[in-house]
Amino acid sequence: MKNKELAVLFDRIADALDIKGEQAFKVLAYRRAARILDEMTDDVARIAAAGKLEDIPGIGSGIAKKIGEYLATGEMQKYKEALSDIPPGLLTLLDIQTLGAKTIKLMHDELGVASLSDLKKVIADGRLAALRGMGDKKVENIRKGIELFEKASQRVSIWAALRVAASLIDHLKESGLVDRIEAAGSLRRMKETVGDIDILVCAKKSGGKDGARIIERFTRAPGVKRVLAAGATKASVMVATEDGERQVDLRLVDRSSYGAALQYFTGSKAHNIKLRSMAKDKGLKISEYGVFKGERKIAGAAEEEVYATLGLAWVPPEMREDRGEVELALARRLPAILDYGDIKGDLHVHSDASDGTLTLREIADLGLRMGYSYIAICDHSQSVKYARGLSPDRLRRQMKEIDALNRSLKPKRFRLLKGTEVDILADGSLDFPGSLLKELDFVVAAIHSGFKKNVTERILKAMENPYVKVIAHPTGRLISGREGYDVDIEKVIAGAKRTGKALELNAYYDRLDLDEFNCKRARELGIKISIGTDCHAASGLEMMRLGVGIARRAWLRKGDIIRL
DNA sequence: GCCGTTTTCGGCCCGACTGTTTTCAGTCG
């Protein structure tokens, strides 16, 4: 599929035109096209062949023609033309906060800045500060922007971000001054990676000094390394996380605006723009303070109200990406996506028999506390030596143990499932014989070695086995803390479709295998998804939330996942 | 560049903040 390639091209064209000072709306049009292509699960070539490109909202005749040209020739005239007089190093400067296209163009035209190192030079020798419109403070901000860019250009994994947000929220709640508080932004939308963390707070007593106290407490919270700004309604700090420092913004809002602010700061940007332009058509105006008809505020306290004023059903945060959800909300036809409470169990957990840390009893206790009905124990098989994989004998002993434990758990309406994460060996055969697999409740198959040897073919062969229900690590992104493997996901998806096997959405830390994109494609093809944490420790069971979040972003319904 | 049961031309989301100005441009979320 050329979708992603084309997305990159259009994004670079947008960058180049932006720096050249082309009309902002033209730049926006290219960016929108890039985003559409990046997220599209259909093959753009197929749509182009059917002559349906212009049916996609946001793709008009101009961009359709350029797509056609690229598909036919492998080249795009507009791309060459746009990039011809732009040094490649200049485009990366757009990623520096406090530095935008206009300033970059000015620096390039006046000082010949063509790269990050050029920029550092003109800051050091004072030539940048001498430019018109520039001053010491602006230069200082750019310098700070560069520092931030070099230190924290990576987006942090959602799990680390969730933990940072939770600890700050708890810290603020302990003050007793807080009425409502929650994380907004991409964290609330459950994006796999998060840039900044946004927290929204509403004081119990508005108008008094409580707001100032909350801001004060925030800037002195544990983990805060630096305060970037602290005003009456907003504060920004840098907080230490597992993978470096991260910016956290706190916004203090009025109770009457809480819903509007939550909606606004949750985004995404594209979703919000669509809402606002709809509002405008209706003679309304939406801002973070509320929905206004002329001077009069007609909604704002609750998010539902904001959507209702536009005639829309409330949209789950995970769907707010302008991928058609607004139109469906208008038609009252939003799909009933999987809910966090729909999860009745975890379908991939390791015990201390292999490389986990928990006993069967501890896992059962945790499962009960999570409100589950079942957990599948899927320890490694014998060949996975580094993870103390179970021999057939040890697995049979574990099965007896589980049977015994289940008898005592019966009154609690909870059971452990007898399972395995059976290894797919170098020749594509499985690490246990069928006679053993047959005795198990749940068989997950996965590759753990020979990452460079015919991975795709081995997975396809394993899919032919009648006892295998699920393929784990289908995209091979990361596995047991090791490097991932290269797999032809197209073939794996086709294989799952053909054999009726499920693919695992694995949520342990940053592994999230499947990712959102392939999860969505699998759903569209009617392939079942199995959600398991693949966890090895107590905290890991809670990571189910990440898996469900990704599933919701992919619009999975209850019926799309395996439930026992 | 895209889009249109008020438009095939003239629109295209909104507000805050900052720093540099002397009324506003640039940037961000």
Side-chain angles (χ1 to χ4, degrees):
Chain A
M1 293 212 306
K2 303 273 187 199
N3 300 23
K4 307 268 176 197
E5 278 173 52
L6 278 159
V8 170
L9 292 186
F10 285 130
D11 222 21
R12 290 225 188 98
I13 291 175
D15 285 345
L17 296 184
D18 205 1
I19 288 174
K20 286 181 177 178
E22 180 60 271
Q23 260 195 79
F25 296 113
K26 208 178 267 194
V27 175
L28 209 70
Y30 279 111
R31 290 215 192 282
R32 198 185 309 135
R35 188 180 64 87
I36 290 165
L37 285 161
D38 186 54
E39 293 175 350
M40 199 163 74
T41 46
D42 283 336
D43 190 344
V44 66
R46 214 170 47 213
I47 299 172
K52 302 264 188 203
L53 279 176
E54 289 182 53
D55 291 355
I56 303 169
I59 308 261
S61 60
I63 286 180
K65 225 168 113 190
K66 293 176 180 76
I67 292 174
E69 179 196 354
Y70 184 74
L71 291 174
T73 67
E75 291 184 353
M76 193 188 295
Q77 219 41 54
K78 177 75 184 183
Y79 176 78
K80 284 189 185 169
E81 186 190 308
L83 277 287
S84 62
D85 46 351
I86 301 259
L90 211 53
L91 298 185
T92 60
L93 298 185
L94 278 172
D95 292 333
I96 297 172
Q97 293 220 14
T98 70
L99 198 55
K102 298 274 162 49
T103 314
I104 293 173
K105 179 172 164 56
L106 185 71
M107 296 183 322
H108 179 239
D109 292 350
E110 301 288 322
L111 302 173
V113 169
S115 66
L116 183 56
S117 59
D118 289 350
L119 173 57
K120 286 180 181 169
K121 264 181 229 145
V122 298
I123 291 175
D125 65 19
R127 283 194 292 155
L128 185 62
L131 278 184
R132 77 186 132 84
M134 281 289 162
D136 288 344
K137 286 199 173 177
K138 271 203 162 174
V139 173
E140 177 57 18
N141 278 339
I142 293 170
R143 212 188 49 71
K144 277 187 188 155
I146 293 172
E147 204 179 299
L148 217 65
F149 168 78
E150 291 185 323
K151 193 153 43 176
S153 57
Q154 292 289 323
R155 289 168 71 90
V156 74
S157 82
I158 184 161
W159 183 244
L162 279 169
R163 296 219 298 201
V164 170
S167 97
L168 285 168
I169 286 172
D170 285 346
H171 180 71
L172 293 179
K173 274 184 181 166
E174 281 165 18
S175 69
L177 303 168
V178 167
D179 179 31
R180 301 188 63 182
I181 183 165
E182 70 199 280
S186 52
L187 194 62
R188 183 161 178 249
R189 301 202 313 279
M190 294 296 279
K191 271 202 78 161
E192 188 174 338
T193 59
V194 173
D196 295 347
I197 297 170
D198 294 296
I199 298 175
L200 203 64
V201 65
C202 172
K204 274 183 185 159
K205 279 181 281 181
S206 60
K209 291 207 176 93
D210 282 3
R213 288 202 192 101
I214 290 172
I215 299 253
E216 164 87 11
R217 187 173 171 84
F218 174 70
T219 58
R220 297 178 178 210
V224 170
K225 294 285 169 212
R226 214 144 46 97
V227 179
L228 302 173
T233 60
K234 187 192 155 178
S236 295
V237 299
M238 296 300 291
V239 174
T241 74
E242 292 150 26
D243 23 1
E245 286 184 15
R246 189 63 24 188
Q247 183 172 335
V248 185
D249 296 335
L250 182 77
R251 290 159 207 275
L252 182 71
V253 299
D254 225 49
R255 192 168 305 161
S256 66
S257 299
Y258 189 83
L262 184 59
Q263 195 290 316
Y264 176 75
F265 289 114
T266 297
S268 66
K269 190 172 178 171
H271 177 87
N272 284 358
I273 287 175
K274 179 153 267 180
L275 256 47
R276 286 175 192 215
S277 83
M278 277 181 73
K280 201 168 183 181
D281 290 344
K282 285 177 172 280
L284 303 173
K285 192 185 66 176
I286 302 184
S287 76
E288 56 264 53
Y289 298 106
V291 184
F292 295 87
K293 187 166 201 160
E295 294 294 303
R296 196 163 58 90
K297 180 156 151 180
I298 59 171
E303 233 183 10
E304 287 81 355
E305 289 175 14
V306 175
Y307 284 95
T309 54
L310 300 176
L312 299 174
W314 179 82
V315 179
E318 297 89 338
M319 295 178 84
R320 298 181 193 171
E321 299 288 347
D322 187 22
R323 295 177 186 159
E325 76 282 1
V326 176
E327 291 77 0
L328 288 168
L330 185 64
R332 304 271 152 181
R333 289 181 54 199
L334 277 174
I337 57 170
L338 183 71
D339 215 338
Y340 293 91
D342 290 335
I343 300 300
K344 294 296 168 214
D346 191 322
L347 285 172
H348 189 162
V349 171
H350 290 273
S351 80
D352 61 354
S354 64
D355 56 349
T357 57
L358 302 168
T359 64
L360 294 177
R361 163 58 75 180
E362 285 167 340
I363 292 171
D365 287 343
L366 281 167
L368 281 165
R369 215 176 325 146
M370 301 275 297
Y372 288 163
S373 303
Y374 53 83
I375 286 179
I377 302 298
C378 297
D379 278 315
H380 291 287
S381 58
Q382 53 192 348
S383 291
V384 190
K385 303 286 186 206
Y386 66 81
R388 298 208 306 132
L390 275 61
S391 66
D393 278 352
R394 287 180 63 211
L395 178 57
R396 286 212 167 84
R397 251 178 285 151
Q398 185 185 60
M399 288 161 69
K400 280 192 187 130
E401 242 183 282
I402 290 175
D403 281 334
L405 197 52
N406 277 344
R407 277 192 288 278
S408 72
L409 289 167
K410 199 159 188 189
K412 295 181 176 168
R413 296 173 164 274
F414 177 91
R415 66 188 172 122
L416 293 178
L417 300 173
K418 291 171 279 186
T420 178
E421 180 177 12
V422 64
D423 207 53
I424 300 171
L425 301 173
D427 62 355
S429 66
L430 298 180
D431 200 14
F432 287 140
S435 55
L436 179 55
L437 297 178
K438 190 165 68 176
E439 297 172 39
L440 294 163
D441 300 316
F442 201 69
V443 176
V444 174
I447 286 181
H448 291 91
S449 61
F451 294 157
K452 302 216 183 298
K453 281 189 285 186
N454 303 323
V455 171
T456 305
E457 289 70 23
R458 286 154 67 197
I459 289 176
L460 291 175
K461 189 172 171 195
M463 283 176 170
E464 303 296 335
N465 186 293
Y467 303 112
V468 170
K469 286 204 173 65
V470 176
I471 300 294
H473 311 303
T475 58
R477 294 170 90 194
L478 262 178
I479 183 165
S480 305
R482 302 174 163 216
E483 283 297 301
Y485 46 79
D486 275 332
V487 56
D488 187 338
I489 186 66
E490 309 280 336
K491 286 186 181 164
V492 170
I493 285 178
K497 172 88 184 147
R498 191 181 64 247
T499 58
K501 303 299 180 192
L503 299 179
E504 183 171 273
L505 171 51
N506 165 325
Y508 199 42
Y509 288 109
D510 51 1
R511 280 147 61 177
L512 287 169
D513 215 0
L514 302 172
D515 55 6
E516 173 188 338
F517 181 77
N518 285 302
C519 193
K520 185 172 163 211
R521 292 178 63 205
R523 187 254 298 160
E524 286 165 354
L525 288 168
I527 293 166
K528 290 261 197 235
I529 304 296
S530 172
I531 308 187
T533 54
D534 191 4
C535 79
H536 297 68
S539 62
L541 270 153
E542 292 163 18
M543 292 178 189
M544 176 60 80
R545 195 172 153 211
L546 306 189
V548 179
I550 295 298
R552 283 166 66 81
R553 290 183 59 81
W555 296 20
L556 254 58
R557 284 74 156 169
K558 216 197 288 192
D560 294 325
I561 64 161
I562 293 191
R563 300 191 333 147
L564 300 173

